[in-house]
């Protein structure tokens, strides 16, 4: 990548970091908001689902818009919507306002993710793309890591300060994107198959080379959503972890996961390719999630959950890298479908996991392991297409 592309990539990564930082800010403040507005945990669950389902619905549409109207405009609209959603949450004194905020938050995520993914595909080559997508995934993870801690610190100043801060960051990112991002030149890429180039988006979804990748994204995201959503409850109920123990475990595993994306992902895709890397991570994740239900002791649990998170953190950019290589001129489409399947998993995972958790605390993890094992079985029939990567 040349110097100009690196600067643009840094701006894109900064935008993603800010967006997911804002999402993470809400985590430590939610209990206080619940008490202030006298709302139940069920309502909080609906607030979370509102974000995920809105992103689910909007992502395929925004992906097509990114192809039709451009990457830059969708990124700017997404960041602006993000700033408005955070401002509404900061000012909201009624549950209805909070729901509007979360719905707008889902729209913003749906606008940003496909457009940024397509933008990165436009400014990178097939050789540099895996590293850039690894950085993208790391920026997302880092935002999630720092968000809760920063939110807790800012909440000491005032309950709504984290949201005002996120709104300000979103506004700054919007302004910077207006001035520093230019619509990328799209190299007319050859499609994997000429016949597939004329297919509609819905028909393309069911082409095996796309469908298998989207299924892997959905299943791995489902497993991650289950593991992440119930880790604190699981360790509290089963092992008596304190909030400090849980924070240390999540932070350590998340930091190592982010570092693995930055330092290892590019090399591992060069050694094994995306498909083989995904297969390896799926089977390791399935095995160690089962192991997690059988061990005890703080250090052992931290080690096991770190291994699980590292595998998840490698699966996502590997699948995204694979899709970007086969997408041809439909980078926005695959970015939108990627976001849609991730959102669907993020919505369904906690719901099904919660039902099983009420029966037995181990059951959500058994479900996640079963899904990942099924994904591994599916991936065994996944063949890498022959792609002509010559520049026209």
């Amino acid at each position: 990548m040349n110097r100009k592309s690196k600067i643009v990539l840094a701006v894109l990564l900064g935008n993603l970091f800010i967006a997911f930082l804002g999402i993470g800010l809400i985590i430590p403040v939610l209990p206080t908001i619940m008490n202030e507005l006298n709302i139940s945990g069920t309502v909080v669950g609906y607030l979370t689902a509102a974000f995920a389902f809105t992103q689910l619905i909007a992502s395929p549409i925004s992906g097509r818009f990114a192809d039709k109207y451009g990457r830059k405009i969708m990124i700017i609209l997404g960041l602006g919507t993000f700033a408005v959603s955070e401002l509404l949450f900061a000012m909201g004194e009624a549950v209805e306002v909070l729901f509007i905020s979360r719905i707008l938050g889902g729209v913003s995520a749906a606008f940003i993710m496909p457009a940024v993914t397509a933008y990165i595909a436009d400014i990178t080559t097939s050789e540099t793309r895996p590293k850039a997508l690894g950085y993208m995934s790391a920026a997302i993870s880092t935002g999630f890591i720092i968000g809760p801690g920063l939110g807790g610190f800012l909440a000491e100043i005032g309950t709504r300060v984290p949201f005002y801060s996120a709104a300000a960051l979103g506004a700054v990112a919007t302004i910077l994107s207006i001035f520093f991002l230019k619509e990328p030149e799209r190299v007319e890429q050859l499609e994997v198959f000429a016949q597939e180039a004329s297919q509609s988006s819905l028909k393309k979804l069911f082409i095996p080379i796309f469908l298998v990748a989207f299924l892997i994204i959905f299943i791995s995201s489902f497993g991650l959503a289950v593991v992440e959503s119930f880790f604190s409850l699981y360790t509290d109920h089963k092992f008596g972890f304190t909030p400090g123990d849980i924070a240390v475990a999540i932070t350590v595993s998340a930091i190592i996961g982010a570092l693995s994306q930055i330092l290892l992902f590019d090399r591992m895709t060069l050694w094994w390719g995306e498909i083989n890397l995904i297969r390896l991570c799926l089977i390791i994740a399935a095995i160690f999630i089962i192991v997690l239900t059988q061990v005890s002791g703080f250090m052992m649990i931290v080690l096991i959950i770190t291994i699980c998170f590292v595998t998840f953190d490698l699966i996502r950019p590997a699948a995204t890298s694979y899709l970007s290589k086969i997408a041809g001129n439909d980078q926005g489409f695959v970015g939108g479908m990627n976001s849609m399947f991730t959102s669907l998993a993020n919505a369904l995972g906690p719901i099904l996991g919660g039902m099983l958790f009420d029966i037995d605390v181990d059951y959500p993890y058994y479900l996640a392991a079963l899904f990942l094992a099924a994904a591994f079985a599916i991936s065994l029939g996944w063949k890498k297409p022959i792609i002509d990567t010559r520049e026209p």
Side-chain angles (χ1 to χ4, degrees):
M1 294 177 65
N2 57 38
R3 184 173 179 273
K4 183 178 179 181
S5 295
K6 289 180 179 178
I7 293 173
V8 172
L9 179 61
V11 174
L12 293 172
L13 296 179
N15 289 341
L16 284 177
F17 172 77
I18 289 172
F20 283 88
L21 176 73
I23 295 171
L25 286 174
I26 191 175
I27 295 173
V29 190
L30 266 179
T32 305
I33 299 293
M34 290 173 61
N35 293 331
E36 285 183 359
L37 302 183
N38 194 28
I39 58 179
S40 66
T42 301
V43 174
V44 173
Y46 289 148
L47 283 170
T48 304
F51 182 100
F53 278 116
T54 304
Q55 185 181 5
L56 166 67
I57 294 169
S59 289
I61 300 171
S62 68
R64 291 196 295 272
F65 283 177
D67 284 332
K68 185 175 182 180
Y69 300 112
R71 321 316 194 191
K72 178 178 177 177
I73 185 62
M74 297 304 295
I75 292 171
I76 291 171
L77 287 174
L79 289 169
T81 304
F82 167 78
V84 172
S85 72
E86 294 295 327
L87 183 61
L88 279 177
F89 210 100
M91 299 173 62
E93 297 294 339
V95 174
E96 292 79 8
V97 176
L98 301 187
F99 270 101
I100 294 172
S101 167
R102 291 298 87 193
I103 289 170
L104 288 176
V107 171
S108 71
F111 279 15
I112 294 170
M113 284 299 298
V116 169
T117 304
Y119 202 124
I120 290 175
D122 290 334
I123 64 173
T124 56
T125 64
S126 58
E127 290 77 22
T128 60
R129 194 168 301 144
K131 179 180 286 187
L133 292 173
Y135 288 155
M136 183 184 86
S137 190
I140 293 171
S141 299
T142 306
F144 274 128
I145 294 167
I146 296 177
L150 181 60
F153 172 76
L154 293 174
E156 295 294 325
I157 303 172
T159 305
R160 305 304 176 105
V161 171
F163 304 101
Y164 283 117
S165 301
L169 286 173
V172 170
T174 303
I175 295 170
L176 290 176
S177 296
I178 291 172
F179 288 103
F180 288 98
L181 288 183
K182 293 183 179 180
E183 185 63 24
E185 294 182 8
R186 304 187 206 177
V187 177
E188 289 298 319
Q189 303 179 50
L190 298 177
E191 294 282 354
V192 178
F193 300 107
Q195 183 179 359
E196 292 170 5
S198 61
Q199 299 273 6
S200 68
S201 294
L202 183 59
K203 289 182 179 179
K204 273 190 174 182
L205 173 61
F206 292 100
I207 296 172
I209 57 171
F210 288 118
L211 182 60
V212 173
F214 290 136
L215 285 175
I216 297 298
I217 288 170
F218 169 76
I219 294 172
S220 61
S221 298
F222 181 96
L224 176 61
V226 171
V227 173
E228 282 188 331
S229 298
F230 294 97
F231 181 73
S232 58
L233 290 176
Y234 179 76
T235 52
D236 171 73
H237 281 60
K238 190 169 182 177
F239 305 112
F241 275 24
T242 66
D245 294 333
I246 295 168
V248 169
I250 292 176
T251 301
V252 168
S253 58
I255 290 174
I256 294 176
L259 289 175
S260 69
Q261 291 167 344
I262 296 172
L263 301 176
L264 299 178
F265 176 70
D266 184 43
R267 296 177 183 179
M268 295 177 83
T269 53
L270 288 175
W271 292 339
W272 300 324
E274 289 89 353
I275 293 176
N276 286 331
L277 176 59
I278 289 170
R279 287 172 180 156
L280 179 64
C281 290
L282 284 170
I283 194 63
I284 291 175
I287 291 171
F288 277 89
I289 287 173
I290 293 297
V291 171
L292 183 64
T293 65
Q294 306 300 315
V295 300
S296 61
F298 178 75
M299 293 305 298
M300 181 60 69
I301 291 169
V302 170
L303 175 62
I304 299 302
I305 198 64
T306 297
I307 293 172
C308 293
F309 282 162
V310 167
T311 59
F312 287 125
D313 287 337
L314 292 173
I315 290 171
R316 287 178 292 184
T320 303
S321 175
Y322 167 84
L323 283 169
S324 72
K325 290 179 179 179
I326 67 170
N329 299 319
D330 290 320
Q331 298 293 338
F333 159 72
V334 298
M337 297 307 295
N338 188 337
S339 182
M340 184 194 78
F341 279 98
T342 301
S343 303
L344 180 61
N346 290 340
L348 294 179
I351 293 174
L352 294 178
M355 294 176 181
L356 292 174
F357 187 86
D358 289 338
I359 301 172
D360 188 292
V361 295
D362 286 329
Y363 283 2
Y365 288 85
Y366 293 154
L367 176 67
L370 180 63
F371 265 58
L372 293 168
F376 173 74
I378 293 171
S379 72
L380 293 177
W382 191 5
K383 295 181 180 179
K384 182 178 180 180
I386 300 174
I387 304 172
D388 189 345
T389 57
R390 294 172 299 173
E391 299 290 342

